[in-house]
Amino acid sequence: MPQEITCLIADDHEVVREGLRLSLSRAPHIRVVGEASDGSSAIALAERRRPNVVIMDVRMPGMDGLEATKILTEKVPSASVLIFTAYGERSLLGRGLESGAKGYILKEAPHQTLLRAIEKVANGEGYVDPALMPDFLTRDREDMLTVREREILQLLADGMSNADVAAKLFISQETVKSHVRHILAKLEADTRTHAVAIALREAIID
């Protein structure tokens, strides 16, 4: 029999935690050692119970799963975090990577996929749900800003107008507008201010 793996479940929906606990109870080598309904509780519980794996929901009240993952991986480096996400939240994959998570599993994943993911991350390996792989493979190409786009975003963050940016970079205002449109699309931002806020939060610019 494989070595025992201890798990902590962090999700704000009791029905989800219950379903996970039930699913994992069918695997003799996996033991659930705690449950948390928000990020702060997950960190506190992980510090006490020292689980091998933390199954972390992304959207929770108060501290979200990504912020909790960042802190948890610093405080309890022996615990591997498995991000437990809905398919509609796949745009958060990049942030999950940066937060220190070891793997990603969809809430819709079959039982065997969940077990494989837990075993992999418990072993220190990375794991990505097969259904999310296309997003991972295209992430760098589609989501990341080019050097020029980052440069323009930094100037916008410094308070420059399109005309100022155009003059500084020796390009036309139309070209600046085109770059700004691409930046908004890639960052899924509504306005320039929103794009700057996202870029600062994600440390794309400083």
Side-chain angles (χ1 to χ4, degrees):
M1 193 171 105
Q3 196 174 348
E4 184 183 69
I5 299 169
T6 54
C7 285
L8 174 70
I9 299 168
D11 195 293
D12 58 328
H13 294 104
E14 193 176 341
V15 65
V16 174
R17 296 198 305 272
E18 205 171 292
L20 259 178
R21 191 172 63 241
L22 200 63
S23 180
L24 296 179
S25 69
R26 287 156 48 197
H29 63 301
I30 292 177
R31 183 163 58 92
V32 175
V33 294
E35 294 177 27
S37 57
D38 59 59
S40 306
S41 312
I43 294 164
L45 207 50
E47 285 187 283
R48 285 206 305 276
R49 305 275 165 84
R50 302 276 157 177
N52 302 124
V53 176
V54 178
I55 301 170
M56 184 81 77
D57 182 24
V58 175
R59 297 193 190 281
M60 292 187 285
M63 186 188 294
D64 72 16
L66 298 178
E67 184 61 31
T69 296
K70 211 173 197 172
I71 298 167
L72 199 151
T73 49
E74 286 168 11
K75 290 192 169 188
V76 192
S78 59
S80 296
V81 176
L82 181 61
I83 296 283
F84 189 54
T85 183
Y87 188 68
E89 294 163 352
R90 61 195 188 283
S91 60
L92 298 168
L93 286 176
R95 281 184 61 204
L97 264 181
E98 287 148 22
S99 70
K102 276 277 195 304
Y104 300 84
I105 185 84
L106 283 174
K107 291 187 175 182
E108 302 85 4
H111 177 69
Q112 286 306 322
T113 305
L114 175 63
L115 292 188
R116 195 177 311 118
I118 290 171
E119 287 162 3
K120 285 270 192 192
V121 300
N123 207 26
E125 299 172 50
Y127 184 86
V128 178
D129 191 306
L132 289 169
M133 277 312 282
D135 291 280
F136 252 83
L137 297 174
T138 57
R139 178 181 163 262
D140 287 338
R141 191 173 69 244
E142 291 179 358
D143 296 350
M144 302 312 282
L145 302 181
T146 64
V147 173
R148 178 61 105 188
E149 285 165 354
R150 276 202 299 275
E151 189 178 13
I152 288 171
L153 196 50
Q154 183 69 63
L155 295 174
L156 295 178
D158 293 342
M160 285 193 178
S161 66
N162 283 359
D164 295 334
V165 173
K168 184 172 175 65
L169 300 179
F170 304 103
I171 55 178
S172 72
Q173 284 194 53
E174 276 311 309
T175 303
V176 174
K177 282 179 187 169
S178 171
H179 280 305
V180 170
R181 276 198 302 275
H182 290 150
I183 291 166
L184 296 185
K186 288 181 179 182
L187 295 180
E188 297 180 344
D190 303 317
T191 62
R192 289 159 39 134
T193 310
H194 186 201
V196 167
I198 292 169
L200 288 169
R201 187 185 69 215
E202 308 267 355
I204 294 168
I205 58 172
D206 47 46

